[in-house]
Amino acid sequence: MAAPLQLTDVAHGEQKGWRRSQHLVDSLPYVDGLTPQEKAAVDKMIEEEMRSSSKKPSDYLNELPPLPETRFKAMDTARYSLDPPPPTKRSDHNAWRAALDNAHAQLEHQYNRLLNLELLLKFGPDSWRMHNEALSAFVTRLQEQLAAVKRQVDTLNRERKLQQHAAGSELSKLEAEYLGLVHKNKDIEAACRGLEAEIAAMREALPRDGQQAAGSGAADGEQAAAAAQEQQQQGQPNGVGEPAEGMQE
């Protein structure tokens, strides 16, 4: 039989860290079922707590620390434009040279874009196919990890259920033994009270029996003494007369 579920730590005070001074869960949810009345009482307490709470479900996210602010530099789009020199510098040779260099750079960028589009049309499908296969393999690994975690959770819940059922059976057995001993003690206590009552009645009846025995003994003694005295009185003339007759002879 599996060992019953035991709590090796005390209810509170011995924990360290975030569990310090907190109560441990010592219930057996797989064994201790809630009656409809208890469930209704629990639901009522939860509703009252939610009504009395000043927090809303959306307020719990406000307790999280704010995200760090990240500032990105604005993209410089001036180099992607083909603006001519301003009207004030239309006669400036250097301004036109800068505009011409910018035009050559934009032309090279467009040429690179065309090359990238051609490469994408030629190798893009295979590249995307390989990328999708990599994503599928990644999803498969995640699903396998999820299935492994679910199996671990199911195994843990199964072991916990077996342990709690074993503990529940042991508790039921001990409770039955306790109730049996309580009833036995009550029966013994009732028997003791009955014996005490009988002993008290016998003690009360004992002196009366002694007095009656003493009274009957005294009466018998008086009767015996009276009978002996009467016999003695009747026997005295015969005893005195006999010697007299002998003397006369």
Side-chain angles (χ1 to χ4, degrees):
M1 184 179 68
L5 183 63
Q6 297 179 354
L7 297 177
T8 57
D9 297 331
V10 296
H12 55 80
E14 295 295 333
Q15 295 79 13
K16 297 181 180 179
W18 65 276
R19 299 196 67 180
R20 185 176 181 84
S21 301
Q22 291 188 359
H23 292 278
L24 294 176
V25 179
D26 57 353
S27 63
L28 303 177
Y30 289 101
V31 179
D32 300 333
L34 290 178
T35 62
Q37 294 79 8
E38 293 175 346
K39 188 176 185 304
V42 171
D43 294 338
K44 183 178 179 181
M45 293 174 63
I46 293 174
E47 292 177 358
E48 292 178 354
E49 182 67 22
M50 292 180 66
R51 284 196 299 268
S52 62
S53 178
S54 60
K55 289 184 179 181
K56 297 180 180 179
S58 59
D59 296 337
Y60 288 95
L61 297 178
N62 296 331
E63 298 180 356
L64 297 176
L67 295 175
E69 296 182 359
T70 303
R71 296 182 179 180
F72 297 97
K73 294 181 180 180
M75 184 178 294
D76 185 11
T77 60
R79 60 179 182 173
Y80 298 108
S81 61
L82 289 174
D83 297 332
T88 57
K89 294 183 179 181
R90 293 291 174 88
S91 60
D92 189 357
H93 178 74
N94 293 327
W96 282 105
R97 174 60 63 182
L100 182 61
D101 292 340
N102 186 23
H104 285 296
Q106 294 297 327
L107 182 61
E108 290 296 328
H109 283 306
Q110 294 296 332
Y111 180 70
N112 288 331
R113 292 190 185 97
L114 290 175
L115 289 178
N116 290 330
L117 288 175
E118 291 179 359
L119 292 174
L120 181 61
L121 291 175
K122 185 177 181 179
F123 302 104
D126 295 335
S127 178
W128 278 108
R129 191 178 296 108
M130 294 176 62
H131 179 67
N132 291 334
E133 291 177 356
L135 291 178
S136 299
F138 181 69
V139 171
T140 302
R141 287 196 301 270
L142 291 179
Q143 290 177 350
E144 291 176 354
Q145 293 178 3
L146 178 61
V149 172
K150 286 183 177 180
R151 286 194 298 270
Q152 292 177 0
V153 172
D154 293 339
T155 302
L156 178 61
N157 290 333
R158 191 180 301 109
E159 292 178 356
R160 184 180 298 170
K161 184 176 181 180
L162 292 175
Q163 291 179 357
Q164 291 187 12
H165 277 292
S169 301
E170 187 69 20
L171 290 175
S172 300
K173 179 181 177 181
L174 294 176
E175 185 177 4
E177 292 180 358
Y178 169 75
L179 293 177
L181 292 175
V182 169
H183 289 301
K184 186 176 181 180
N185 289 335
K186 288 184 178 179
D187 295 339
I188 293 174
E189 185 177 358
C192 290
R193 286 198 297 267
L195 292 175
E196 290 176 356
E198 291 180 3
I199 292 173
M202 293 174 66
R203 286 180 177 176
E204 291 178 357
L206 183 61
R208 291 197 298 270
D209 294 341
Q211 291 177 0
Q212 291 177 359
S216 60
D220 294 339
E222 291 178 357
Q223 291 178 1
Q229 187 176 3
E230 185 178 357
Q231 291 178 359
Q232 185 177 4
Q233 291 177 358
Q234 292 177 359
Q236 280 181 357
N238 296 329
V240 174
E242 290 177 355
E245 292 178 357
M247 290 176 65
Q248 290 178 1
E249 290 178 356

